[in-house]
Amino acid sequence: MTRKACVIGWPISHSRSPIIHGYWLKRYGIEGSYERIPVKPEELPAFFSGLIGQGFAGCNVTLPHKEAAFRTVGTADAATSRLGVVNTVFARDGELWGTSTDGEGFLASLTAGHPGWCAKGQTVVILGAGGATRALVGALIDAGAARLLIANRTRAKAEELQRDFGAKVEPRDWTEAAEILRHANLLINTTSLGMTGQPPLTVDLDNLPKTALVTDIVYTPLETDLLQRAKARGNAIVPGLGMLLHQAVRGFDLWFGTRPEVTEELYDLVARDIDPGYRR
Ligand code: ATR
């Protein structure tokens, strides 16, 4: 039987998930499909009501539906309850369940991109406290990180993360960003700064230890200005594309029954879609 999955969002034309899941379907010889479906916010309840009937094993959920999907489908695990968002929906025994794979995708990307890396006991400096930050904070705390210093332009959002995730989260003013880098074992940009079409991230890196690992959740461009500056001064870097690839693993397994591998070939395929001039 052909198994079907899809990604929903509004707009959805930019999503690279069909490239990822299409690659795995072919690689594992699975008879299945994965398509993009544009769904307007007001159409979301009807979309979910009809999903199983239309033969779908589930879907990925992207902007702006992640919170609404969380409220609509069952919550599959405790980590997802704490996040309040889902990015992956799957059918079991005629019902829809939702989970979030962003946190594990983030950790898996760091481990794959920097073998031997481990969150345990680490001090992490996070720039930004928007929607994407929550899953990372949850995953890093669960993986044993010691301190998460979070600098955000709107400090109240970093304080909200402290309320939700506890005292390991330490809110900081955005103006303190350059100063607190001296504590970092790991530096993460979760702001939209540095993304193609957005202003650059100009935080000075002078205080950052050369031993700190640097990553960015922005993957357009593949190597943000932050990553280039960090690399130029000798820091190890992990580009953001890895998180996109690794967060897709569990969804594919839930829908198609095979845990897929994030290969170099897949990385290159998606990297070339983002930047046709990409060379490994
Ligand atoms: P969300 O994911 O909640 O929708 P967003 O608008 O995508 O948030 O922004 C993501 C992050 O980038 C936020 O931390 C945002 O800071 P605020 O919480 O203060 O909005 C950050 N960000 C966006 N533009 C920024 C800028 N010019 N300077 C500093 N941080 C910025």
Side-chain angles (χ1 to χ4, degrees), residues 8-259:
I8 61 165
W10 185 261
I12 195 59
S13 57
H14 62 278
S15 171
R16 292 188 168 88
S17 293
I19 305 176
I20 302 170
H21 293 285
Y23 168 84
W24 284 330
L25 286 170
K26 205 168 142 201
R27 178 179 163 95
Y28 297 105
I30 294 169
E31 203 182 314
S33 67
Y34 184 99
E35 59 190 298
R36 287 184 191 94
I37 303 185
V39 176
K40 292 183 186 156
E42 62 270 26
E43 297 167 350
L44 196 66
F47 173 82
F48 279 131
S49 312
L51 193 65
I52 296 175
Q54 288 175 49
F56 282 96
C59 64
N60 277 131
V61 179
T62 187
L63 299 178
H65 300 317
K66 289 184 173 193
E67 284 100 356
F70 173 82
R71 292 192 298 269
T72 309
V73 302
T75 306
D77 47 79
T80 302
S81 319
R82 194 171 56 174
L83 292 179
V85 293
V86 303
N87 71 347
T88 303
V89 169
F90 59 98
R92 281 294 176 278
D93 303 325
E95 283 184 53
L96 290 179
W97 298 91
T99 189
S100 171
T101 63
D102 282 335
E104 71 206 47
F106 172 76
L107 294 180
S109 169
L110 282 190
T111 313
H114 194 69
W117 180 82
C118 176
K120 218 164 179 48
Q122 298 247 302
T123 296
V124 184
V125 171
I126 301 180
L127 305 179
T133 315
R134 288 184 76 80
L136 274 52
V137 169
L140 284 163
I141 288 176
D142 289 347
R147 299 173 73 194
L148 307 183
L149 310 182
I150 304 185
N152 195 48
R153 180 179 58 179
T154 310
R155 186 184 163 111
K157 285 204 224 166
E159 287 166 355
E160 196 179 314
L161 288 171
Q162 187 185 44
R163 268 199 304 281
D164 293 350
F165 291 94
K168 286 187 178 172
V169 173
E170 300 177 33
R172 292 286 191 270
D173 287 338
W174 182 246
T175 50
E176 291 177 78
E179 165 58 27
I180 60 175
L181 293 185
R182 69 176 71 256
H183 305 293
N185 302 121
L186 171 66
L187 168 63
I188 312 167
N189 174 46
T190 73
T191 74
S192 47
L193 297 173
M195 194 184 287
T196 307
Q198 300 292 322
L201 176 65
T202 54
V203 173
D204 191 301
L205 301 183
D206 279 356
N207 290 328
L208 184 69
K210 294 274 167 58
T211 50
L213 179 62
V214 181
T215 189
D216 200 322
I217 67 162
V218 172
Y219 56 86
T220 53
L222 292 165
E223 247 183 43
T224 58
D225 179 61
L226 168 69
L227 295 178
Q228 288 182 0
R229 286 194 290 134
K231 193 160 83 174
R233 65 195 290 285
N235 290 91
I237 63 162
V238 176
L241 178 57
M243 178 176 161
L244 177 73
L245 304 180
H246 283 276
Q247 65 77 31
V249 167
R250 188 150 59 93
F252 189 90
D253 192 5
L254 286 164
W255 308 317
F256 300 113
T258 296
R259 191 164 176 90

Side-chain angles (χ1 to χ4, degrees), residues 14-16 19 36 268-276 278:
H14 62 278
S15 171
R16 292 188 168 88
I19 305 176
R36 287 184 191 94
D268 293 351
L269 183 69
V270 182
R272 276 197 302 274
D273 186 71
I274 293 167
D275 175 6
Y278 165 81

